[in-house]
Amino acid sequence: MKSKKIINDVDNIVFDTVEGFVKAYKHKVIKLPNSNVIVRKNLEAGKVGVVIGNGSGHEPACIGFVGKNMLSANAYGGIFAAPGPDTLYDAIEAVDSGCGVCVLISNHAGDVINSKMAIDMAKDDDINCKGVILYDDIASSPKGQEEERRGTAGTLFSYKIVGAYAEEGHSLDKVVKMAEKVRDNTRTLAVATISGTSPITGYKMFEIEDDEIEIGMGVHGEAAAHTMKICTAKDIAEVMCEKLIEDKPYLEGDEITVLVNGCGQTTYMELLIFYNEVEKILNDKGIKVYKPAIGSFITTQEMGGIALAFCKLDDEMKKMWEKETDAPAFKI
Amino acid sequence: MKSKKIINDVDNIVFDTVEGFVKAYKHKVIKLPNSNVIVRKNLEAGKVGVVIGNGSGHEPACIGFVGKNMLSANAYGGIFAAPGPDTLYDAIEAVDSGCGVCVLISNHAGDVINSKMAIDMAKDDDINCKGVILYDDIASSPKGQEEERRGTAGTLFSYKIVGAYAEEGHSLDKVVKMAEKVRDNTRTLAVATISGTSPITGYKMFEIEDDEIEIGMGVHGEAAAHTMKICTAKDIAEVMCEKLIEDKPYLEGDEITVLVNGCGQTTYMELLIFYNEVEKILNDKGIKVYKPAIGSFITTQEMGGIALAFCKLDDEMKKMWEKETDAPAFKI
């Protein structure tokens, strides 16, 4: 069975999506006239810009995170395809007010190559521009090889914390350091229960047995590390928490924030049931949770599943995490 | 195939969901110790309380709408089952500070009976309490018999506008009048593409052909008015807008707000594509849209589909609609 998505022409999916977004949030954002870039309204001079490029199809990520105290701009590509260097350059140029721009880069080959090219183009034009590669998915490469890991749902912590930090008027070097700190304090692991369908072909993106869940699935349906039989939320939470804590010792006495990210069709009910188990496990280990984010923020179409991410916080990061943003799709 | 929901014991779904919710948002809400009621923290004296009861399984509705400038409390029942009169009474009592309580009632048999009993109990205890029955679903009863219609997604307008209005300190009579005005200005129509699964049985809630969509589905999978072949977002938007405009003349020069509510597994991408078409159609008719709400606010588990609701606004209602709320699951 092909998917029954409510769309128009397959070739115009991204165009139509963004046109709808810009109409709905015209009081908050604009689209650059000749480039696939969403820029927040009322950018203030004297502040470092924070930009990310990403493939479309993961909505609300990342267009929905453009706003005060979050992203200054988002350059978007085609469905599951990174935007080109020209588009990223346009985003950088649009938000530079002379203080420089920090480009957050989710670690996927296309994103990294194109972002680096865009940063070089910006430097050639005397824009002070630096990139920070974000990697958080512990399933995609073993401990000790963190830099090989994919960027997945935990990158959301960086969008929020780094965006709010830049808003405070810190220098580009300090903003880059904050981005590195958030990244280094973040770990993510995802499980998938049901495949999403490609908006282009209408067919399932991967196969999964009726009684199995996949652990370590990437945000485009990249192969999972292993499978397990479907079990309770409690059992899934235990497996995932253990792996995350093992990888990066979140220790007794630590304060962390938690992201329970729905991948698409997983209900808010399930996200809450799952979060309940996660908090119990963490509390049993003496780890305190500070204002978790629960929702379907970074999706893979109507995939079923949950990404669980942890980020260790200090007092400054806590303040940045909880600062209100008018970005249309983020609230804690 | 049974659903692969991430839950624990079926008998504890609602308990687990709410426990997770209260943990996640402990800085915003409490649960009454001995009753299934979520109450907002920091209720202010001197203000009318605004309460609704509803069945669970539609999350984030309505627990996620408890907050400043929105609901004072939510009494929740079992899955798709209205809370009993005792629970509703507890909600009313918890939020009454002597100024009275307005109970919003979504028009379903169980909700109406139980709410009326709870209001009578409150009056017996000298609480000034009044109910307003909300009906908005144009598919469930013809024009002229508005009071027979079901309460569906458009009730969201009342939660936000009435909640913010009560926060301003108006009398109970004025709050009730505002609730009636919002209801009378609201119309909703829903389409379903894919059945959700019952969290209790794990099986589909209704059958639907692979190439069809149902128009006029209720929030529990109640029988639709008719079916149509799957078509473009534009075509669906045209059919729905026409029916809504016909029913309640939203006229040239009017300003309305729009809700595009995802029923569960419909992606944010689709909601935006659909909204884009809706705004085009309305603009062509000279109807202006003010700050639409786009998201999966009131769901039927992982059902595929969209509810489209309109609410005609005056200046006062606009102010109430856009007032910021800290309710965990509402943002425009």
Side-chain angles (χ1 to χ4, degrees), chain A residues 1-2 4-9 12-21 23-28 57 59-61 63-64 79 191-194 199 208-213 230-236 264-277 279-280 283 289 291-294 299 301-302 305-306 324-332, chain B residues 1-2 4-9 12-21 23-28 57 59-61 63-64 79 191-194 199 208-213 230-236 264-277 279-280 283 289 291-294 299 301-302 305-306 324-332:
Chain A
M1 173 184 159
K2 282 190 77 171
K4 291 166 86 175
K5 290 192 204 287
I6 298 173
I7 58 173
N8 294 312
D9 183 351
N12 292 335
I13 287 177
V14 175
F15 180 90
D16 289 352
T17 300
V18 173
E19 197 170 80
F21 181 77
K23 280 182 191 163
Y25 300 106
K26 47 179 153 306
H27 49 297
K28 297 187 176 189
E59 290 73 21
I63 51 176
I79 297 289
V191 295
T193 54
I194 300 166
I208 185 164
E209 296 294 325
D210 284 356
D211 63 346
E212 283 190 340
I213 60 177
I230 184 82
C231 55
T232 63
K234 181 170 186 284
D235 290 340
I236 298 171
Q265 72 169 272
T266 300
T267 59
Y268 191 67
M269 179 194 88
E270 290 164 272
L271 303 183
L272 292 171
I273 291 173
F274 180 78
Y275 175 74
N276 191 34
E277 299 303 329
E279 194 182 296
K280 276 185 214 167
N283 286 349
V289 182
K291 297 191 178 176
I294 299 175
T299 67
Q301 295 292 304
E302 75 279 33
I306 291 175
E324 282 199 16
T325 175
D326 62 356
F330 184 80
K331 189 167 192 177
I332 54 171
Chain B
M1 174 186 159
K2 281 190 77 169
K4 293 165 85 174
K5 292 193 204 283
I6 297 173
I7 58 174
N8 294 313
D9 184 350
N12 293 334
I13 287 178
V14 174
F15 180 90
D16 289 352
T17 299
V18 172
E19 196 169 82
F21 181 78
K23 280 182 190 163
Y25 300 106
K26 49 178 155 299
H27 49 297
K28 297 188 175 189
E59 290 72 22
I63 51 176
I79 297 288
V191 295
T193 54
I194 301 166
I208 184 165
E209 296 294 325
D210 284 356
D211 62 347
E212 284 188 341
I213 61 177
I230 182 83
C231 53
T232 63
K234 181 170 185 286
D235 290 341
I236 298 171
Q265 72 169 275
T266 299
T267 59
Y268 190 68
M269 179 193 88
E270 290 163 273
L271 303 183
L272 292 171
I273 291 173
F274 180 77
Y275 174 74
N276 191 33
E277 300 303 329
E279 195 184 295
K280 276 185 215 169
N283 286 349
V289 182
K291 297 190 179 176
I294 300 176
T299 66
Q301 296 292 305
E302 74 280 33
I306 292 175
E324 282 199 16
T325 174
D326 61 357
F330 185 80
K331 189 169 191 177
I332 54 170

Side-chain angles (χ1 to χ4, degrees), chain B residues 138-153:
Chain B
I138 65 167
S140 53
S141 209
K143 193 165 171 62
Q145 297 173 27
E146 283 79 6
E147 293 176 23
E148 306 298 317
R149 290 174 170 174
R150 295 183 291 236
T152 53

Side-chain angles (χ1 to χ4, degrees), chain A residues 29-48:
Chain A
V29 298
I30 57 156
K31 181 188 168 301
L32 293 186
N34 298 309
S35 193
N36 289 341
V37 176
I38 297 293
V39 183
R40 115 179 208 216
K41 277 192 166 177
N42 309 316
L43 274 174
E44 289 165 43
K47 291 176 181 178
V48 169

